[in-house]
Amino acid sequence: MLIQFIVFYVFAAVVVGSAFMVIAARNPVHSVLFLILSFFNAAGLFVLAGAEFLAMTLVIVYVGAVAVLFLFVVMMLDINFVRLRQGFMQYLPLGAMLGAILLVELLLVVGAFVVSPEVDTLAAPMPPVEQQSNTHALGQLLYTRYMYLFQASGMILLVAMIGAIVLTFRVRTGVRRQSIRAQVARTRADAVELKKVVSGAGISGSL
Amino acid sequence: MIEFPDISPAITELWLAIAAMALLLIGVVRGDRATRMVVWLSVGVLAVAIWLVWSDADTSVVTFSGLFVADRFAAFAKVLVLLGSALALVLSLEFLERERLERPEFPVLVVLATLGMMIMIAANDLLSLYVGLELQSLSLYVLAAFNRDSEKSTESGLKYFVLGALASGILLYGATLVYGFTGSTSFTGIAGALAAQEERSIGVLFGLAFVTAGLAFKVAAVPFHMWTPDVYEGAPTPVTAFFSLAPKVAALALFMRVMLGPFGGIADDWVGIIGLLAATSMVLGAFAAIGQTNIKRLMAYSSIGHVGYALMGLAAHSPGGVRGTLVYLTIYLAMNLGAWGVILSMRRTDGKLVENVEDLAGMARTRPFLAAAMAIFMFSLAGVPPLAGFFGKFYVFFAAVDAGLYLLAVIGVLATVVGSYYYLRIVKVMYFDEPAPAFLQPAGATIAVIAVTAIFTLLFFLFPAPFVAEAHLASLALFP
């Protein structure tokens, strides 16, 4: 229990710390790297909570796809982040006010929030985590009860793929490609020509 | 542990999904040269799908844990959608080849969009509704921007995408509200929860309004129609033709199922909303089309007006109303398909496609067959008896009057009179104006589609019984 307790606080502290660094770092590439760090630690928190499927999805989708894409964009676009930050102090009062309003609203929501007495039966995993893992349970639902929708979603992704190719793929003309077959099939006769150079006339005249 | 669901009722969807992937593979391996083959194969795939639906039409089953329903109503709408998609593909082939847009992804995307419409029509749950709608919409966004070198086409694709995503968001928001206040996403579950509530909760009404707004966007009913003229004008013409056919039918079928299924018990709350949508659509469709010079924009406003008439049948919320809407959609499909066939044939002898109403001038002398067919379609769209369009309007007006919606019926008749003006103007331009340069001879397949739809529109009054009887059986499926 103590180990779990310590691990939780380590993960939580790293998440909060790296999330702060995402907005505090001067270099945008560092920001993205801190974002990835916070995703990883959030995934660790999910594992602690027994939601291993969410943890995997977080790593695969957010770290594997979203953050890498983000990194690409940050590296490809030459955005002057220092200039973007200008006027930070000027807008600080307005930003602080909005933050305060949001905080009050959140407190109101949390204050009025009542946990349903049925939550233990409604929100409890079925079957319990000890008997079956999340991934197993999700897969069983997805491939039986929601099989139809799962397959149809697959068709939607296929359409998205076809659409992206149809709208962007171009056959470039005038591109010279290496043809290994042609290179190997070349004989000495195709490539070398013997010329008799008349002495004193130079090479240019005889070619 | 849940048993493996019975997948046999969804055989059409499975067939379309597998066939679309196979067609995609053919397209990838054979390259752009295979476009012609893939288009015809797709038409064949859709024809097989029609046979699959029709051979098993007489069922009423719910499967996939209540996510999917197959009944006579679904079968009727599915056949209409499949016919619309297949014939739109036939019309598009000549355009693709002439405009250097031969890419095998085009027919594949049409098949995938059709798959989305199948899922929409067969939806028995808010989740399958949304997934089907997104599959269809996403394919349509790509199709609208298919001519990516044209600024207009890209603009139309982007506009459609941004507004469509907004509408999907609104629909989803409504779906969450409905789920939150009824505790179920399944249509039967929602209907049961609403029947058990003694007092109507305001949350459900809000959810209903948002879902209605999202669906009204998809069918392009006023006031959610702003995207239609721009998207219809900018998209490549065969794509516009496709937009105005199958997706309309699918979205209206979905609209009817959602309103009469889960919300059937609280019809008093939504009849006013649907009635208002229908009335404003009819009026705007009639008045806004008058000033249009571009025939694609004109047809966009015309389609908004026709959606208004189709919604009138829903506002009647009776089996007669649903029957009226289904007959209306059948006829609308035929005459619109033919009209788009003629519009796609407006190609000058130098190969340039023109799309202004004036360009049709004197077509009666240069291309008498096309002009006669177009005149039939225009008279029918205007609702002149004894052409098919008159019967479509007749059944929905009849249902509206039967349900006591006199005001709506009167507005509809007046809008028809106003709308006749711009349909008849096209006939006048074709028959009485000085001839403009002649058009190219259209491809054989286009002529075939125009001829078949023209004959259907012209001779519908001789044999309306089988269609009406079939629509009647389909409508009963929504009123258990």
Side-chain angles (χ1 to χ4, degrees):
Chain A
M1 211 54 215
L2 182 72
I3 305 238
Q4 254 193 15
F5 190 76
I6 295 169
V7 171
F8 173 80
Y9 277 102
V10 169
F11 277 136
V14 177
V15 169
V16 174
S18 51
F20 178 75
M21 285 307 289
V22 172
I23 50 169
R26 282 205 162 272
N27 188 333
V29 176
H30 293 174
S31 288
V32 178
L33 292 176
F34 273 115
L35 192 65
I36 293 174
L37 183 64
S38 72
F39 281 147
F40 261 114
N41 286 280
L45 288 177
F46 276 130
V47 171
L48 276 185
E52 85 286 346
F53 185 77
L54 269 182
M56 286 191 298
T57 324
L58 196 70
V59 171
I60 295 168
V61 176
Y62 281 88
V63 178
V66 176
V68 170
L69 192 71
F70 205 47
L71 202 58
F72 266 121
V73 172
V74 167
M75 286 175 164
M76 302 269 244
L77 300 180
D78 187 21
I79 301 170
N80 193 341
F81 282 89
V82 178
R83 260 201 26 221
L84 275 182
R85 270 161 214 259
Q86 273 173 4
F88 182 72
M89 290 313 287
Q90 186 191 341
Y91 292 111
L92 191 63
L94 184 70
M97 196 179 76
L98 289 179
I101 292 175
L102 201 62
L103 186 69
V104 171
E105 283 177 347
L106 274 175
L107 286 177
L108 284 177
V109 167
V110 173
F113 195 79
V114 182
V115 177
S116 161
E118 298 156 341
V119 80
D120 282 340
T121 51
L122 285 178
M126 282 181 1
V129 184
E130 295 82 46
Q131 286 170 27
Q132 194 176 40
S133 69
N134 297 181
T135 322
H136 195 164
L138 275 173
Q140 243 174 20
L141 262 189
L142 216 51
Y143 290 100
T144 54
R145 201 183 155 150
Y146 296 111
M147 181 180 80
Y148 179 58
L149 300 174
F150 187 64
Q151 297 293 331
S153 315
M155 295 311 288
I156 295 182
L157 291 180
L158 178 69
V159 169
M161 199 174 82
I162 299 174
I165 294 172
V166 164
L167 295 181
T168 56
F169 179 72
R170 270 167 214 283
V171 180
R172 287 171 188 275
T173 49
V175 178
R176 288 160 157 249
R177 286 240 172 80
Q178 183 181 25
S179 165
I180 295 181
R181 198 180 48 178
Q183 285 177 352
V184 172
R186 238 158 87 106
T187 59
R188 186 170 184 276
D190 301 331
V192 184
E193 197 183 346
L194 281 180
K195 286 273 184 189
K196 191 104 184 131
V197 180
V198 184
S199 58
I203 294 175
S204 59
S206 63
L207 285 176
Chain B
M1 194 67 203
I2 301 164
E3 298 249 325
F4 191 78
D6 179 15
I7 60 168
S8 59
I11 186 83
T12 322
E13 284 78 3
L14 283 173
W15 161 250
L16 281 181
I18 293 167
M21 289 187 266
L23 291 171
L24 185 65
L25 275 184
I26 296 176
V28 169
V29 173
R30 303 275 313 261
D32 292 353
R33 293 162 298 138
T35 308
R36 195 180 184 85
M37 185 175 80
V38 177
V39 168
W40 285 115
L41 280 176
S42 307
V43 173
V45 162
L46 294 170
V48 171
I50 293 177
W51 175 76
L52 282 174
V53 172
W54 205 242
S55 62
D56 201 20
D58 208 9
T59 54
S60 181
V61 279
V62 173
T63 182
F64 291 114
S65 329
L67 294 168
F68 181 95
V69 62
D71 54 14
R72 271 208 103 96
F73 177 78
F76 191 96
K78 279 179 180 178
V79 169
L80 282 189
V81 163
L82 289 165
L83 267 178
S85 299
L87 294 178
L89 265 180
V90 171
L91 286 182
S92 65
L93 188 60
E94 190 192 2
F95 179 91
L96 292 178
E97 284 180 346
R98 285 201 187 266
E99 305 287 319
R100 317 294 321 147
L101 281 172
E102 303 150 286
R103 266 175 288 151
E105 289 90 351
F106 183 88
V108 173
L109 282 170
V110 171
V111 173
L112 285 169
T114 313
L115 172 64
M117 296 172 211
M118 301 283 109
I119 295 177
M120 281 159 68
I121 293 169
N124 195 36
D125 191 293
L126 290 173
L127 290 171
S128 34
L129 176 161
Y130 179 70
V131 168
L133 204 62
E134 278 308 290
L135 180 54
Q136 178 235 30
S137 307
L138 202 59
S139 317
L140 296 188
Y141 304 147
V142 178
L143 283 174
F146 198 77
N147 189 4
R148 60 188 187 188
D149 296 324
S150 142
E151 219 169 83
K152 266 188 164 176
S153 173
T154 329
E155 182 198 324
S156 109
L158 194 64
K159 257 186 192 159
Y160 195 18
F161 174 67
V162 172
L163 292 173
L166 182 72
S168 290
I170 291 174
L171 182 103
L172 215 46
Y173 184 52
T176 57
L177 280 175
V178 170
Y179 173 55
F181 281 88
T182 59
S184 173
T185 58
S186 128
F187 286 177
T188 27
I190 294 171
L194 287 178
Q197 286 175 356
E198 295 112 43
E199 211 178 317
R200 193 95 59 251
S201 73
I202 195 88
V204 173
L205 291 187
F206 263 93
L208 173 64
F210 277 112
V211 169
T212 312
L215 289 173
F217 176 90
K218 299 291 173 189
V219 298
V222 180
F224 306 100
H225 67 284
M226 303 79 68
W227 57 277
T228 322
D230 289 349
V231 172
Y232 275 37
E233 190 191 352
T237 314
V239 175
T240 315
F242 177 59
F243 278 4
S244 71
L245 300 166
K248 284 259 149 97
V249 177
L252 275 166
L254 180 69
F255 215 151
M256 286 193 274
R257 195 188 282 287
V258 171
M259 288 300 152
L260 297 169
F263 301 113
I266 54 167
D268 296 342
D269 291 322
W270 54 255
V271 165
I273 305 177
I274 301 292
L276 188 71
L277 287 177
T280 46
S281 302
M282 289 186 292
V283 170
L284 186 113
F287 280 95
I290 290 174
Q292 303 302 325
T293 52
N294 183 303
I295 195 150
K296 283 164 86 176
R297 281 187 91 85
L298 188 137
M299 289 300 281
Y301 282 110
S302 149
S303 84
I304 293 172
H306 284 284
V307 162
Y309 295 109
L311 283 176
M312 197 197 278
L314 173 57
H317 67 95
S318 61
V322 174
R323 182 191 66 182
T325 304
L326 288 177
V327 172
Y328 195 91
L329 287 176
T330 315
I331 292 164
Y332 170 79
L333 197 73
M335 56 195 185
N336 228 25
L337 199 61
W340 280 106
V342 176
I343 293 169
L344 277 163
S345 312
M346 290 167 61
R347 195 180 282 284
R348 295 272 182 240
T349 34
D350 59 358
K352 260 189 74 174
L353 202 64
V354 288
E355 45 191 52
N356 283 327
V357 175
E358 282 82 60
D359 295 321
L360 284 165
M363 197 165 77
R365 262 165 282 176
T366 54
R367 291 249 165 249
F369 164 75
L370 275 184
M374 190 65 163
I376 291 175
F377 299 133
M378 288 301 132
F379 277 120
S380 177
L381 283 167
V384 175
L387 296 170
F390 167 73
F391 288 93
K393 290 203 168 70
F394 172 74
Y395 284 112
V396 285
F397 283 137
F398 193 71
V401 169
D402 226 22
L405 303 166
Y406 301 111
L407 181 64
L408 193 61
V410 169
I411 293 175
V413 172
L414 292 179
T416 309
V417 174
V418 176
S420 306
Y421 166 73
Y422 61 83
Y423 292 126
L424 297 187
R425 185 167 65 107
I426 293 178
V427 177
K428 175 241 165 200
V429 167
M430 286 192 306
Y431 277 86
F432 301 113
D433 281 8
E434 279 305 305
F439 294 127
L440 267 182
Q441 173 80 15
T446 314
I447 294 183
V449 172
I450 296 174
V452 169
T453 48
I455 291 168
F456 178 87
T457 316
L458 194 61
L459 299 182
F460 180 81
F461 74 98
L462 291 178
F463 47 86
F467 296 96
V468 177
E470 210 45 65
H472 179 65
L473 285 175
S475 68
L476 290 182
L478 287 188
F479 293 91

